[in-house]
Amino acid sequence: MEEKILVLDFGGQYNQLIARRVREQKVYAEIKPYDKISLEEIKKEKYKGIIFTGGPNSVYDGAAPRYDKGILDIGIPVLGICYGAQLMAYLGGGEVCAAENSSEYGKTEVTVVNNVLFDDVSERSICWMSHTDFIKKPPEGFSVIAYTANCPCAAMYDGRRKLYAVQFHPEVSHTVYGERILHNFLYGVCGCTGMWTMEDFAARTIKKYRKELAGKKVLLALSGGVDSSVAAVLLQKAIGNDLVCVFVDHGLLRKNEGDIVERTFKGRFGINVIRVNAEKRFLEKLAGVSDPEKKRKLIGEEFIRVFEEEASGLGKINVLAQGTIYPDVVESGKGSSAVIKSHHNVGGLPDTISFEMITEPLRDLFKDEVRKVGTELGIPKEIVWRQPFPGPGLAVRIIGEITKEKLDILREADAVFCEEIAQAGLETQTDQYFAVLTDLRSVGVKGDARTYSYTVALRAVTTDDFMTAEWTRLPYDVLERAGSRIVNEICGISRVVYDITSKPPATVEWE
Ligand code: XMP
């Protein structure tokens, strides 16, 4: 990579957002926790610039994350954001203060002076603040270049060493000129030229794999989700039929999904896809199981078993390819957080099969970048823009025991709901939407007869990152049409409800 920015992570909640914002400006950015990269390594990597992220601490806390102050003198431009700004002040010998009455949270008016960081930025504008401590006295060599009513130093710089710091968050969309400020840092201060584009990425990756994987047989678990699909097409373009994709159809997919995946990848892209119809095996395993975690574990284990059996019949496989993306890489380096649900990802590494190597063509990309690459490669938009679908599939959308009958009822209800969303042109207004088959039966009346059938819940959420989500305010008439079609057209359902819980405290999936 010829041009890259280091996002030095001090534990801020926006670290990934910062990297994404940099990449949106066509500059590659990578995130490293502050305690995982030494000053020597930073020098070796030849970064064009460094961004210190925010963080929850106060620089004077004993346990606060700090860094070798030599980082300010290695000749690489630095932009400190929030805690990163205070850290820069602290390392440089300035003064940081905690004062309850100077804390700012939310949209705040900031006034800036003339400086390269603020080229094309209005003298007064709204920025996003979230801090208690503030920089009381900038270090020697620094000048204040922005302030707010409560914060005497909302930004500072040392032009000689190209060190910049902002107390506010330019990466957050509420900061009106945030994008411009980052652009000014990247292009005006660091001298970046904008080499990171997805056209380039696709061409470069295909070329690299043509060489690296020549003569090797590569196996990929294809789920039909966007990540494994893009990885499959990239690899196919590099090595053709030396790529074998195994698509395990566990019978827990949505209506027609298995056929669509097979048709698209085999038919349209000529990829060597083996579809394993394993519905019966999975249903046998799941019979009588209603505990959600147990369902997930069983499906995960069975998936690996089926995959292994298939792989063992393929002769020598040299490489296992996986659709890992950058957030997975960043998050896995972070230690363990509380397990809320054990997420089973189709494509997880079976640890009993041995390969010479694992390849992860998308491990440097964020989701939006994966979608751009997919579009570049000509993958149809239904797949590139597909909403997320959990590895354990409809099993986590059927409360209680899973049976073929329940799966079929749910598939129909889900298809009707999706049709109505599409019909109303709302596919891009909501980030994930689906039906859930609850375990609750209730009384209804159809014709003159009493019914006693299942309740279906409809769920639609709006979110940026699926860590938090709002329930989508779908128009009543869309809900009405979906609801009445579901009870009228599908046997076995007598009631439809709409889920109006946000995440947290609920999760997106019901199990
Ligand atoms: P939750 O339910 O945890 O879901 O709020 C957040 C997002 O993750 C998806 N999800 C999964 N994806 N394997 C996956 O690959 C899983 O086991 C799984 N569980 C939930 C969910 O659909 C939502 O997009």
Side-chain angles (χ1 to χ4, degrees):
M1 207 76 56
E2 292 163 66
E3 187 176 270
K4 61 181 179 180
I5 294 287
L6 170 65
V7 175
L8 200 56
D9 181 12
F10 292 100
Q13 54 177 327
Y14 298 130
N15 59 8
Q16 291 198 24
L17 189 58
I18 296 173
R20 269 172 58 195
R21 293 281 181 255
V22 171
R23 291 183 185 196
E24 278 165 17
Q25 312 249 12
K26 301 193 166 48
V27 177
Y28 182 75
E30 61 188 21
I31 305 169
K32 300 271 175 187
Y34 74 97
D35 53 353
K36 295 272 163 30
I37 184 163
S38 69
L39 191 55
E40 279 317 303
E41 284 164 322
I42 290 181
K43 283 194 222 161
K44 250 191 253 144
E45 290 290 333
K46 299 203 166 44
Y47 292 105
K48 295 286 277 184
I50 302 171
I51 298 180
F52 291 177
T53 73
N57 298 75
S58 169
V59 285
Y60 294 112
D61 287 350
R66 305 214 182 87
Y67 205 81
D68 185 332
K69 68 177 186 226
I71 194 167
L72 304 182
D73 293 301
I74 54 176
I76 303 178
V78 183
L79 173 67
I81 295 177
C82 196
Y83 174 82
Q86 295 163 8
L87 184 69
M88 185 184 284
Y90 171 84
L91 296 177
E95 210 181 309
V96 177
C97 239
E100 281 308 321
N101 58 5
S102 70
S103 71
E104 291 171 306
Y105 187 80
K107 291 182 184 172
T108 310
E109 187 180 78
V110 63
T111 306
V112 304
V113 307
N114 207 0
N115 183 278
V116 55
L117 195 63
F118 300 131
D119 275 354
D120 295 324
V121 173
S122 279
E123 189 186 352
R124 287 208 183 97
S125 66
I126 295 298
C127 69
W128 183 259
M129 284 285 195
S130 173
H131 68 111
T132 302
D133 289 7
F134 69 101
I135 298 169
K136 189 168 176 202
K137 190 164 149 256
E140 222 177 286
F142 279 80
S143 320
V144 173
I145 50 174
Y147 57 88
T148 69
N150 276 332
C151 186
C153 175
M156 63 176 191
Y157 92 120
D158 171 347
R160 187 181 60 81
R161 289 186 290 173
K162 296 195 177 176
L163 303 177
Y164 292 77
V166 289
Q167 181 58 64
F168 54 87
H169 288 272
E171 72 279 20
V172 170
S173 58
H174 304 300
T175 298
V176 176
Y177 288 97
E179 198 181 319
R180 185 71 228 174
I181 293 168
L182 284 176
H183 184 275
N184 290 339
F185 176 68
L186 298 170
Y187 289 81
V189 177
C190 302
C192 293
T193 56
M195 302 161 81
W196 176 251
T197 65
M198 291 306 106
E199 300 89 289
D200 239 41
F201 173 87
R204 228 178 325 115
T205 310
I206 292 169
K207 199 166 148 208
K208 179 180 103 167
Y209 281 135
R210 236 171 235 156
K211 221 160 121 197
E212 243 177 68
L213 300 177
K216 297 203 191 294
K217 203 158 177 190
V218 180
L219 176 66
L220 172 80
L222 181 70
S223 70
V226 54
D227 304 339
S228 64
S229 301
V230 172
V233 176
L234 261 180
L235 288 166
Q236 200 274 344
K237 292 206 184 282
I239 57 167
N241 269 352
D242 284 337
L243 170 73
V244 186
C245 293
V246 171
F247 168 44
V248 177
D249 182 345
H250 48 25
L252 307 166
L253 298 172
R254 287 163 292 192
K255 191 173 173 185
N256 300 332
E257 196 167 13
D259 297 341
I260 295 171
V261 171
E262 191 176 2
R263 211 180 316 127
T264 307
F265 294 96
K266 238 189 208 168
R268 179 158 181 169
F269 288 99
I271 295 180
N272 191 356
V273 180
I274 299 172
R275 175 175 176 180
V276 190
N277 289 316
E279 178 188 53
K280 199 160 161 274
R281 268 179 82 154
F282 278 87
L283 284 180
E284 274 166 19
K285 278 273 156 204
L286 288 166
V289 180
S290 41
D291 176 67
E293 278 301 287
K294 204 156 167 211
K295 284 186 199 169
R296 280 172 187 272
K297 293 238 156 67
L298 281 175
I299 295 168
E301 283 162 15
E302 193 62 10
F303 177 87
I304 290 177
R305 221 160 284 141
V306 174
F307 187 74
E308 276 172 349
E309 281 172 24
E310 210 50 45
S312 65
L314 291 173
K316 171 115 183 99
I317 298 283
N318 310 93
V319 181
L320 180 74
Q322 292 188 285
T324 319
I325 67 170
Y326 196 56
D328 307 329
V329 175
V330 176
E331 275 151 28
S332 63
K334 263 194 165 169
S336 56
S337 53
V339 176
I340 309 226
K341 289 174 185 176
S342 58
H343 277 205
H344 152 64
N345 274 312
V346 170
L349 176 65
D351 38 43
T352 52
I353 321 181
S354 61
F355 300 95
E356 287 157 28
M357 64 187 254
I358 293 170
T359 188
E360 298 172 316
L362 309 175
R363 64 175 284 125
D364 287 333
L365 304 189
F366 284 110
K367 195 77 165 192
D368 47 336
E369 294 174 319
V370 174
R371 294 205 161 105
K372 281 189 200 143
V373 175
T375 308
E376 272 307 305
L377 295 171
I379 301 177
K381 73 176 192 322
E382 306 81 79
I383 289 182
V384 167
W385 286 101
R386 228 162 93 122
Q387 49 169 321
F389 186 64
L394 300 183
V396 294
R397 295 180 182 169
I398 292 177
I399 313 304
E401 193 188 348
I402 318 273
T403 62
K404 171 99 169 99
E405 184 211 358
K406 284 184 178 175
L407 278 164
D408 288 338
I409 293 177
L410 179 57
R411 267 192 271 265
E412 292 303 323
D414 188 67
V416 169
F417 186 38
C418 292
E419 264 170 46
E420 288 302 327
I421 296 260
Q423 188 69 33
L426 293 172
E427 282 160 308
T428 54
Q429 315 284 307
T430 171
D431 298 292
Q432 194 173 6
Y433 46 96
F434 52 87
V436 174
L437 190 68
T438 75
D439 210 16
L440 182 82
R441 286 202 273 178
S442 70
V443 176
V445 51
K446 274 189 185 170
D448 284 330
R450 177 184 182 279
T451 57
Y452 186 60
S453 333
Y454 286 112
T455 303
V456 156
L458 302 180
R459 178 101 167 117
V461 295
T462 307
T463 173
D464 274 337
D465 55 8
F466 295 93
M467 307 290 275
T468 61
E470 276 283 324
W471 60 278
T472 307
R473 273 55 172 176
L474 288 179
Y476 284 164
D477 56 333
V478 175
L479 288 171
E480 141 99 65
R481 263 197 309 277
S484 75
R485 276 192 60 197
I486 289 171
V487 275
N488 286 319
E489 293 174 20
I490 306 162
C491 210
I493 299 172
S494 60
R495 200 171 288 264
V496 178
V497 297
Y498 188 51
D499 181 349
I500 53 159
T501 17
S502 296
K503 173 183 179 178
T507 49
V508 174
E509 302 290 347
W510 275 37
E511 285 196 342

